[in-house]
Amino acid sequence: LTAPGYPAWNEQRLIIGIDALGRADGLAVGLEQASAGVQSGGDELTLRLIEPVSVIDAVSASLPIEITGRGELGTWLNRIRPFAGLPPTLNAAGATTLNATARWRIPNDVEIVQSKLTAAPLRFVGYGLTLEEPQAEMQLAGRYRTNETTIASAMFTTPQIQLQLQQGLWRVGNAGRSEVGGNASYRA
C-alpha cells in the first residue's frame, strides 16, 4: 500500500483475526464477547471487549476495550503515519509494549482510560528533536473526538527527563482556528 508523500507500507506475513459472539433481537444487536488482532513479523496488536454490550447502535454504543501490543516502534509508526497525518521525516525505533484500556463511543469518540507504552531503547527523530534513551515510558489518559482532543494526564519518563501534562486541550474550531491549553512541567 502507498499513500502520496509516504513510504510504501510493507508487511511480513500479515495476519488479521476477528472473533465475536453476539445476539440480535429484531433490530437490536448486542455483543457478549469480541476480539480483534493484527500480527506481522514480530509485531502484534490485540483489542478485546472487556464487558458485554447489550445494544450497539450508531447513536449510543460504547465499547469498553482492552488493548495490548508489542513490536518495533518504527514499524508501528509507519502503519499509523498516513492515517494520523504524521510527516515522513518523523522516525522512531525501539522494542515497545503497549497496555491500555479504552472506551470507544461509535463512531468517532475514543476515551483512553489508562495506557502505558514502553520502549527500550528509544530513538526518536522529528520536529527538530533527536532523543536517544536506553528506556522510556509514557502513560496517558485522555479523549479524542473529531474536533477536540483532551489529555487528562500524560507522563513521559526516561532516565534523563520527565515531561508531564495535565488537563491538556486541543480544540479545532471554525475557520481553522484552534484552542490549545493545559499545564505542563519538564524536569531534566
Side-chain angles (χ1 to χ4, degrees):
L1 294 172
T2 60
Y6 294 97
W9 180 2
N10 295 308
E11 296 291 344
Q12 300 174 10
R13 195 170 172 251
L14 177 65
I15 300 169
I16 299 173
I18 298 174
D19 182 32
L21 174 64
R23 59 181 169 68
D25 183 11
L27 296 177
V29 175
L31 270 178
E32 298 300 319
Q33 57 188 10
S35 64
V38 176
Q39 184 177 4
S40 178
D43 297 346
E44 186 174 319
L45 180 70
T46 303
L47 287 78
R48 185 181 65 81
L49 188 66
I50 299 173
E51 58 191 51
V53 178
S54 59
V55 177
I56 299 174
D57 63 29
V59 177
S60 63
S62 180
L63 306 176
I65 300 169
E66 174 187 68
I67 305 161
T68 57
R70 65 177 174 81
E72 174 54 42
L73 190 56
T75 55
W76 284 113
L77 179 63
N78 287 336
R79 287 182 186 106
I80 66 167
R81 183 186 314 271
F83 306 103
L86 299 173
T89 56
L90 181 68
N91 292 294
T96 188
T97 61
L98 170 67
N99 293 292
T101 55
R103 187 165 291 279
W104 178 32
R105 293 170 184 90
I106 295 172
N108 54 5
D109 182 344
V110 178
E111 178 186 5
I112 300 171
V113 177
Q114 64 82 26
S115 66
K116 180 178 176 182
L117 177 76
T118 61
L122 171 67
R123 176 164 172 72
F124 174 87
V125 178
Y127 304 113
L129 301 171
T130 298
L131 180 64
E132 293 190 44
E133 292 285 342
Q135 62 203 37
E137 177 179 297
M138 182 169 163
Q139 296 183 29
L140 175 78
R143 190 169 183 181
Y144 169 81
R145 287 174 274 187
T146 304
N147 63 343
E148 182 176 288
T149 299
T150 57
I151 298 174
S153 64
M155 175 84 74
F156 177 77
T157 308
T158 74
Q160 303 299 317
I161 62 173
Q162 182 180 48
L163 179 62
Q164 184 172 9
L165 176 63
Q166 297 288 325
Q167 304 307 314
L169 170 70
W170 178 25
R171 182 178 298 137
V172 178
N174 294 334
R177 295 184 150 192
S178 294
E179 178 184 343
V180 178
N183 300 310
S185 64
Y186 171 79
R187 186 185 59 148

